[in-house]
Amino acid sequence: MLNEHSIKYGYFDILTDEEVRQGLKEYSDWPTYPQLYINGELAGGLDIVKEMIESGELMEMIPKDSIAA
């Protein structure tokens, strides 16, 4: 989904590290994955991000320098 909108991003595979996976659940108070963070803040899980894309809200939140030309 992010690729379709030319959004540059980084990622970490939490399935490879149980401690990180559990810590992220506590940190974000969000029980499911994937989770999208923008500037260090939780934007939401998959369903919420899909809704944000449909409404145009996601592109408004993405820093301009994170969108590929």
Side-chain angles (χ1 to χ4, degrees):
M1 291 186 313
L2 299 179
N3 289 340
E4 290 172 9
H5 291 84
S6 301
I7 298 170
K8 298 184 240 174
Y9 61 92
Y11 68 92
F12 178 81
D13 183 358
I14 61 168
L15 298 178
T16 63
D17 190 322
E18 179 66 25
E19 186 176 334
V20 170
R21 184 168 53 247
Q22 292 306 319
L24 190 56
K25 283 182 183 180
E26 293 172 21
Y27 172 78
S28 66
D29 195 26
W30 197 267
T32 60
Y33 301 109
Q35 297 176 356
L36 177 65
Y37 286 79
I38 301 173
N39 290 329
E41 300 220 9
L42 178 64
L46 183 60
D47 291 342
I48 290 174
V49 171
K50 284 181 179 179
E51 290 173 10
M52 291 170 68
I53 288 172
E54 290 174 9
S55 73
E57 182 181 359
L58 181 68
M59 294 307 288
E60 293 173 7
M61 297 175 67
I62 300 294
K64 300 298 179 214
D65 63 347
S66 295
I67 300 173

